[in-house]
Amino acid sequence: MRRALALARGVLYTTTPNPRVGCVIVRDGQVLGEGATQPPGGPHAEIRALRDATERGHSVEGATLYVTLEPCSHHGRTPPCVDAVLAARPARVVVAMGDPNPQVNGRGLAQLRAAGIAVDVGVCVDEALELNPGFVARMQRGTPWTWLKLAASLDGRSALHNGMSQWITGPEARADGHHWRARSCVVLTGMGTVLADDPQLNVREVTTTRPPRKAVVDARYAIPENARLLDGSEVLVFTARSDPAKAERLARRNVQTILMPGDQPQRVDLDGMMRWFGEHDVNEVHVEAGAGLSGALLSAGCVDELLVYLAPMLLGDAAGMVRMPMIDHLDGAQRFEFTDFTRVGADARLRARVAARWQALRQGLDGAPR
Amino acid sequence: MRRALALARGVLYTTTPNPRVGCVIVRDGQVLGEGATQPPGGPHAEIRALRDATERGHSVEGATLYVTLEPCSHHGRTPPCVDAVLAARPARVVVAMGDPNPQVNGRGLAQLRAAGIAVDVGVCVDEALELNPGFVARMQRGTPWTWLKLAASLDGRSALHNGMSQWITGPEARADGHHWRARSCVVLTGMGTVLADDPQLNVREVTTTRPPRKAVVDARYAIPENARLLDGSEVLVFTARSDPAKAERLARRNVQTILMPGDQPQRVDLDGMMRWFGEHDVNEVHVEAGAGLSGALLSAGCVDELLVYLAPMLLGDAAGMVRMPMIDHLDGAQRFEFTDFTRVGADARLRARVAARWQALRQGLDGAPR
């Protein structure tokens, strides 16, 4: 299963909206075939592994098939993998996590078991979920898995009082950030950042054949038409103000304008935006925004995970990382659970997530009843 | 040497102002004797190890003696260890770090070499220095090694706008903080903290026979005479205002008042305070103060190391960790180097130090010419 997980990690940047899946077929300690999910429309991991075994001249009959996700049992862009697995007649199938779609969960496994194949579920389920939290979130709750990237000094300052913010963290942290952009389906920012930094918001530092879409929260629809991020790649602008003429002009440049007004004037409905993402094949959202949008997303409960880069410096009086309403008691704090500390160049990278949301995704994936 | 370092770690809370030292005597892979420095006035590590070998019935002649610090060659509270080592006639002495006192550095080793004993220096020098940065700093530069303990949310907020700060970090982080208090010679705070929290400032959570002294920076000499930290234990108050009557009253309660006015009115000379510490057997200072004194010590260049506990929560608009003058450029930031990330309960502990100061301490300790 470790090998299957490693294969899935190898396609981190290419499979979405499909999940990243790896598959290894083994008999008597010998690998007969292996594979990982190909880009959308291409074969899934099980099919690749079965073909690999055939190409190597091996029959899979009686072997054990390890796969990081329950084989699909429905017709999508490709035929159901479970049929191909049944035809190959392995003796045993070991699955890291069940299909997260509540409608299909366990159906593929039931078909395998009905054919007399031994099935184990829940082996390395946490590692498997780490690879596909967005796919699971979209299937289970209809919204993507969203992480907020923050970069600051050790005392939580992301810019000096004069706005200077480049570069508090070092080049290695920025390169690491591009890996997270590359695995996401959408890189999201706010108008404050567009006006202050005019970012390209594309993926550099990492080679990817599937760049994420760019998205901007722009309540007043004030995005300058010469902004650098409007480079012909697919851009989504979420706004609270209708301007059909501007929308028409931007549409010709591959920019889709989505009118999504919030409860309050001049605000975008952030929850609605997340549901829109869920309906439009967006598994993972990478937020890289200023303190305003970052705080608004946190306050709206739209952030599942934090990706925080801290530089080993203190800045004292300077701008904070997130702008949120003052609270009177610690009960009002946004709480997370640390998952990982890593040194990245001279900086520290701390990851933390909302524990209850992770547990909700995980529930049932290990084959236990929901 | 690893064993000798572990023995030294075992006396972390008891030897100061003497350094923590461990010693292991080995022949043909067999440990003949071992020991660590006893509390002041008691035998040093080498003496303990030599006695241990004798008690076990071993002669040390021709053996190898591993010691984490160059054996002392001067009469202090105890006779020079180098004489005892010479008398025991080992064939080889392996030393982690040389004596940091520039006046005596290498003298002990020279005596050993003159007696025909093979001497190696610089084995695990970094680990040895980690055990005694304060002793080395006091010997080399005349001031203690000072770390600043900070506790905050992940976005660097140490208190809510209404002052509420207990408890952002969890019980494990607080207990870990008491280990750092216990190893220090002085626990230092400011009047803001005394007035806001009325802390005891003593060591709990760790058993120690040698509690550190307490010290308060109190420029206006406003310390309430019923403050909880004035519990009969030794307290130092650094002030800029003379009040002989109050000093007299406090002296009867084991409080020493040190008049140390700074350049500016109502300010304590923090540099002068550090030199005072160096002259009064203080190796390590643990600062646990509010944003005001923390920022002032940082700005005065009095902080060598940071000990930062971050809770996995975001607070948004709330009080910062350190108060320092605004800067216009990142060149003005206080810069450190991360040395360690650890999870402590639900929190993260990040250690960072001023790289140049560490290098200055380390220089020459490995036997290379300074």
Side-chain angles (χ1 to χ4, degrees), chain A:
Chain A
M1 189 59 81
R2 301 259 162 234
R3 175 67 190 149
L5 288 163
L7 289 165
R9 256 173 235 122
V11 294
L12 201 58
Y13 305 143
T14 55
T15 71
T16 53
N18 291 332
R20 299 104 178 183
V21 181
C23 179
V24 178
I25 305 169
V26 179
R27 185 167 45 216
D28 301 332
Q30 187 199 356
V31 172
L32 306 181
E34 58 180 31
T37 306
Q38 295 305 294
H44 293 181
E46 304 89 321
I47 307 301
R48 288 280 284 194
L50 289 168
R51 284 188 199 158
D52 185 37
T54 303
E55 281 166 20
R56 297 197 207 181
H58 297 302
S59 162
V60 169
E61 195 172 336
T64 298
L65 183 145
Y66 292 89
V67 60
T68 61
L69 177 68
E70 175 178 349
C72 65
S73 57
H74 63 282
H75 278 271
R77 270 168 289 226
T78 59
C81 293
V82 77
D83 293 353
V85 173
L86 285 168
R89 294 160 62 199
R92 186 168 166 237
V93 171
V94 182
V95 174
M97 69 178 204
D99 190 309
N101 189 328
Q103 270 73 54
V104 300
N105 177 265
R107 196 170 298 173
L109 303 180
Q111 288 184 32
L112 296 173
R113 288 195 177 107
I117 296 170
V119 174
D120 294 311
V121 192
V123 176
C124 302
V125 62
D126 287 294
E127 291 91 325
L129 181 53
E130 289 272 3
L131 285 165
N132 291 299
F135 177 75
V136 176
R138 184 162 63 86
M139 291 296 128
Q140 288 191 357
R141 67 188 197 195
T143 56
W145 184 259
T146 299
W147 59 79
L148 173 61
K149 183 203 156 189
L150 297 166
S153 64
L154 193 42
D155 56 338
R157 306 306 177 144
S158 57
L160 301 186
H161 70 99
N162 56 12
M164 188 176 291
S165 66
Q166 292 174 325
W167 302 101
I168 291 175
T169 50
E172 296 86 352
R174 291 197 297 280
D176 191 75
H178 278 270
H179 281 271
W180 291 89
R181 281 189 182 183
R183 72 170 278 178
S184 75
C185 301
V186 160
V187 176
L188 177 69
T189 196
M191 264 308 287
T193 300
V194 171
L195 294 176
D197 300 342
D198 196 13
Q200 300 180 66
L201 228 62
N202 56 4
V203 175
R204 299 180 296 276
E205 315 271 349
V206 179
T207 306
T208 173
T209 52
R210 182 209 59 84
R213 284 180 271 182
K214 304 171 184 178
V216 184
V217 174
D218 175 14
R220 296 159 199 245
Y221 207 29
I223 190 165
E225 296 185 35
N226 63 351
R228 290 209 302 166
L229 67 89
L230 304 179
D231 57 1
S233 62
E234 194 178 347
V235 178
L236 307 167
V237 176
F238 290 85
T239 184
R241 189 172 77 81
S242 174
D243 181 343
K246 183 169 185 175
E248 172 73 28
R249 284 195 305 279
L250 289 177
R252 286 196 292 271
R253 297 171 59 198
N254 208 12
V255 179
Q256 183 178 358
T257 301
I258 299 118
L259 200 61
M260 186 78 67
D263 284 345
Q264 299 181 347
Q266 311 265 17
R267 288 291 172 88
V268 165
D269 174 6
L270 299 175
D271 270 329
M273 177 177 72
M274 289 295 165
R275 286 193 299 274
W276 190 98
F277 285 145
E279 290 157 6
H280 290 80
D281 276 357
V282 174
N283 289 344
E284 297 176 348
V285 176
H286 172 100
V287 184
E288 201 163 330
L293 180 59
S294 296
L297 286 164
L298 286 159
S299 296
C302 295
V303 175
D304 298 302
E305 185 167 343
L306 302 176
L307 177 66
V308 182
Y309 299 89
L310 295 178
M313 62 171 83
L314 298 173
L315 294 176
D317 290 324
M321 289 158 79
V322 292
R323 206 145 55 224
M324 294 192 294
M326 273 195 193
I327 55 175
D328 291 323
H329 199 275
L330 286 179
D331 291 349
Q334 293 265 346
R335 285 177 189 276
F336 301 83
E337 169 184 77
F338 281 122
T339 55
D340 179 44
F341 313 138
T342 311
R343 179 191 294 261
V344 182
D347 303 316
R349 188 188 74 194
L350 293 83
R351 289 177 62 200
R353 63 192 175 204
V354 180
R357 298 218 195 130
W358 185 262
Q359 283 308 317
L361 291 195
R362 192 185 181 290
Q363 211 196 342
L365 292 184
D366 57 0
R370 275 175 216 271

Side-chain angles (χ1 to χ4, degrees), chain B residues 7-283:
Chain B
L7 289 165
R9 257 173 234 121
V11 294
L12 202 57
Y13 305 142
T14 54
T15 70
T16 54
N18 291 331
R20 299 105 179 184
V21 182
C23 179
V24 179
I25 305 170
V26 179
R27 185 169 43 216
D28 301 333
Q30 188 199 354
V31 172
L32 306 180
E34 58 180 31
T37 307
Q38 296 306 295
H44 292 180
E46 304 89 321
I47 308 300
R48 289 280 284 194
L50 290 167
R51 284 189 199 159
D52 185 38
T54 303
E55 281 166 19
R56 297 196 207 182
H58 298 302
S59 161
V60 168
E61 194 173 338
T64 299
L65 184 145
Y66 293 89
V67 61
T68 61
L69 176 68
E70 174 178 349
C72 66
S73 56
H74 63 282
H75 278 270
R77 270 166 289 228
T78 60
C81 294
V82 76
D83 293 352
V85 173
L86 285 168
R89 292 160 62 198
R92 186 168 166 238
V93 172
V94 182
V95 174
M97 69 179 203
D99 189 308
N101 189 329
Q103 269 74 54
V104 301
N105 177 265
R107 195 170 300 174
L109 303 180
Q111 286 182 254
L112 296 173
R113 287 195 178 107
I117 297 170
V119 175
D120 294 311
V121 192
V123 176
C124 303
V125 63
D126 288 293
E127 291 92 327
L129 180 53
E130 289 273 2
L131 284 166
N132 291 300
F135 177 75
V136 176
R138 184 163 63 88
M139 291 297 127
Q140 287 192 357
R141 67 189 196 194
T143 57
W145 183 259
T146 299
W147 58 79
L148 173 60
K149 183 203 157 190
L150 297 167
S153 63
L154 194 41
D155 56 338
R157 306 305 177 144
S158 58
L160 302 186
H161 69 98
N162 55 13
M164 187 175 291
S165 64
Q166 294 174 324
W167 302 100
I168 291 175
T169 50
E172 296 87 350
R174 290 198 296 280
D176 191 75
H178 278 269
H179 281 272
W180 291 89
R181 280 190 184 183
R183 71 170 279 179
S184 75
C185 300
V186 159
V187 176
L188 177 69
T189 196
M191 265 307 287
T193 299
V194 171
L195 293 176
D197 301 341
D198 196 13
Q200 299 179 66
L201 228 63
N202 57 2
V203 175
R204 300 180 295 276
E205 316 271 350
V206 179
T207 306
T208 173
T209 52
R210 183 209 57 83
R213 283 180 272 182
K214 305 171 183 178
V216 183
V217 174
D218 174 14
R220 295 159 199 245
Y221 206 30
I223 190 164
E225 296 186 34
N226 63 351
R228 292 209 299 168
L229 67 88
L230 304 180
D231 58 1
S233 61
E234 193 178 347
V235 178
L236 307 167
V237 176
F238 290 86
T239 184
R241 189 171 77 82
S242 173
D243 180 343
K246 182 169 185 174
E248 173 72 27
R249 284 196 305 278
L250 288 177
R252 286 197 291 270
R253 298 171 58 199
N254 208 12
V255 179
Q256 184 178 358
T257 301
I258 299 117
L259 200 61
M260 185 79 66
D263 284 346
Q264 299 181 347
Q266 310 266 13
R267 288 291 173 87
V268 165
D269 174 6
L270 299 174
D271 269 329
M273 177 177 73
M274 289 296 165
R275 286 191 301 273
W276 190 97
F277 285 144
E279 288 157 7
H280 291 80
D281 275 357
V282 174
N283 290 343

